[in-house]
Amino acid sequence: MAAVTERFQQLFVVWIVLSITSSVAVDRNNFKTCSQSSFCKRQRNVKPGSSPYRALLNSLELTEKNIKVQLINEVNKVPLLLEIYGLEGNMTRIKITELNPLKPRYEVPDVLIQDPPTLPLAVTGRDDNSIELALSQTDHRLIITSKPFRLDIMAGNELVLSVNSRGLLVFEHLRQRKDTFSDKISSTVGSMWDRIKSLFSSESKQENSESEAEKPEDGNSEQLDAAEKVDEAEPEKNEKDEDTENGMWEETFKTHRDSKPNGPTSISLDFSLPGFENVYGIPEHADNLKLKTTDNGDPYRLYNLDVFQYELYNPMSLYGAVPLMLAHNAQRTLGIFWLNSAETWVDISSNTAGKTVFGKMLDYVQGSKEAPQTDVRWISESGIIDVFILLGPKSTNVFHQYASLTGTQALPPLFTIGYHQCRWNYNDQEDVRNVDAGLDDHDIPCDVIWLDIEHTDGKRYFTWDPNKFPKPQDMLQELEAKKRKMVTIVDPHIKVDSGYKIYNEIRSHDLYTKSKDGNDYEGWCWPGNAGYPDFTNPEMRSLWAKMFAYDQYEGSRENLYTWNDMNEPSVFNGPEVTMHKDVVHNGGWENRDVHNLYGYYVQMATAEGQVLRSGGKERPFVLTRAFFAGSQRYGAVWTGDNAAEWDHLKISIPMCLSLGLAGISFCGADVGGFFKTPSTELLVRWYQMGAYHPFFRAHAHLDTPRREPWLFGEENTKLIRSVVRERYALLPFWYTLFYNAYRTGVPVMRPLWVEFPADVTTFAIDNEFMLGNALLVHPVAEEGSRGVTAYLPGTGEVWYDVRSFQKYIAPQQLYIPVTMSSVPVFQRGGTIIPRKNRVRRSSSCMINDPYTLYVALSSQNTADGELYEDDGHSFNFQTKKEYIHRKFTFINNILTSSNADNSSHFTTKAWLEKVVVMGAQKPSKVHIQMKDGSTSEVEYEFDAATSILTLRKPAVNIASDWTILLR
Ligand SMILES: *[C@@H]1O[C@H](CO)[C@@H](O)[C@H](O)[C@H]1NC(C)=O
Ligand SMILES: *[C@@H]1O[C@H](CO)[C@@H](O)[C@H](O)[C@H]1NC(C)=O
């Protein structure tokens, strides 16, 4: 019987997979539009206008940490509590929730790295309708206007941001479902009209009341539907129909019914940004870097989903969600961080027509009526309003501010920024051995070989197929001998199988998520019927972490790392291919509340497992598909199941840039494209793109022909080899960028505007990008391209082509003729980049190799740069400060290497082999002077045609202090 069931399950999965893989593109019908998501529809039907909310200024209470003010909805009388926090570092936190909720509402835990330090607030002004607060030591002030309720944040006399200025604060309070079904049957049209009338009459009645003692009316008074009901109510309909129609107590999508035991709980708030025309962030969407207005379509959606063959340039949700938006203009960058893990929609409009009419007390704001303005509205299905305003003023301030809340990018082990060779699947140990040998035979460096789901014993994670991978330890040891690593996939759906240890263990601890009837929730995924562990439960995470111990994960070794896929979570037979919203998690919270956190917790638990297995010594590496704010602390993300198409190649830039702006620097797209088969030209161009993305992995679908980089003829092997080797030569630069991302939250891969904030030409550019402050990359992403036009920004700055060393004056639109070997990359004048030009089999083979410094002089003949180095794998850089952090400065013809961090200590055998100075003049002599005063002459060559000065063998240890003098 069991065997029959198993067989059936396998067939079912095969059927699902076939039916999924046979369609050509995303089936949009599988995914909700705003109007199919009842709360989004209800909320979006509320139009801007006068807000029913009034701030009860007399209720103001100033505490040590915040101020509290009650808000009253004058239609339904439900009171809310507003809390405002002035946070250290130019941030303001605004929380709004019900004053007296029927039961607690969900507040996102585990994402903020600490309780953000607060600064005392002070009331600095007050009149009948407003209160002014000083926000911090700087000149920021916040004005609370009572009626209609709004908040305005001012910097000096400049209005920076307004809250609820369009009156879109909507808070669906928790309520009892008043009537039983039979009551409803008998409810009459007349009684409904009575209710509606009473709603409206109560509005006028309450106009002048400021009493806190007002009791909310019964739960059936829906502020936001009141107006609509007048228009839409049809006499035949009873109340139940209406609730159903509005999706308040249940809704269906396709064949799926969402029971809503808590009824409607959605929230919404609007923000106006005078002076801003450009907004960015809120990954993950397959769209341009600069976000579009959503007036004529759906809002951008944030709801982690496994979207099969996603379409480009639209606001549909994808695998991950970071509810952080950045706004930028030539004067200022600011951020809005909406801390909510429920399904969320973000509307953006930018216009002058629907512009806010400023309150009379703000009329003096100069020029505001003429300024462009962006209006943003956030809508979430449940939880509370908890929003952080990051006031910049510079983009680097915003990155620090966001990092101070959610943490920075974990410093990855060095090997993870090398090249990764993956496909679904490397079939067996022999296949792995051949791929490993093929990389060496063709002189293509690589650090990691990956195994997808077929390596397991019947999709039971933490196991190996006994026939294909009988001796995983031997395989891992062979890789170790080559200084290579392996990654295996470990997904969060656990095969329901009483003979499977992992399944039983989680069950015995009763740690699966529950369906609404209280049984373990089960859904279909790769293994057939599967349970979904409740990763929101710390006990589950700790159990999961222990499963990575070497004696638990049989066949694992130190050089085995992990890939978490399908962790949105993907449920093939669930609504929108994910978990039902009424699934119950730890603490009784619904998936509705925690949905966007699931994948975040999976990666967190996996990373903790890797740390645990090494006794806390080794840095983990975990790649995840689903993510949330803070995921940067646990590893890398990739852009999911893309396709071998030119547009997918192009969109990998804005997708990773948006992630980087939202704190997640370690991003890449499947090189070659996951679905479909790339032309050889596309594959080569994709390697040229991927080599300049933070995470660099080739991957391919099971159904596609093999595409290891040496299978396309010697000429193409050479092209791919050359760009992979270029990646390895630049590893010291990449590693230093990652260290800075870890330290400060500044992204590794950056939009041009981050480096050139006042250059409006850069604001919408997403076909080129910066690595750090130093390299500008404009990959070729058009089929049959003969040339590209790169924009070189920076008034009065200079750029050097990294191959020809040709110098260009900025700003300019530079046409660059290209061949298949061209990857247009420019080093910015004024920067110094460390490289290791002796490329070897893997990054660990290069650890002691010598460095070359590339000094690109600015128009003022200056430059500076940095180098970070450590053991590449342990936490000693944190616990023992074992690292080298050098600062290089070129000024007045003197190149100096000094310690950027005197508290660090680490020794290396690596020495300085060469210095290349771009834009140099011919010196008559070159000396190097050591710390002890000793000097020696340095050999050099000068190429007058290119102005390149090459200093040979300064031969000093890279960690030492020295000065090179050009005379
Ligand atoms: C706060 O803003 C002021 C300008 O208003 C700026 O000078 C300062 O650097 C900012 N501080 C932080 C920590 O972002
Ligand atoms: C490190 O110490 C030296 C003197 O020993 C000093 O000149 C230098 O400024 C210090 N560097 C930093 C970054 O503190």
Side-chain angles (χ1 to χ4, degrees), residues 899-902 931:
N899 197 346
D901 185 345
N902 284 336
K931 206 176 179 180

Side-chain angles (χ1 to χ4, degrees), residues 88-90 138-140 155 332 391-393 397-398 400-401:
E88 280 180 12
N90 299 342
T138 54
D139 56 355
H140 293 134
R332 180 184 281 277
L391 288 164
N397 298 124
V398 174
H400 296 326
Q401 285 153 7

Side-chain angles (χ1 to χ4, degrees), residues 106-123:
Y106 191 67
E107 299 193 30
V108 175
D110 303 321
V111 166
L112 299 180
I113 54 171
Q114 59 174 346
D115 217 2
T118 55
L119 292 170
L121 296 165
V123 175

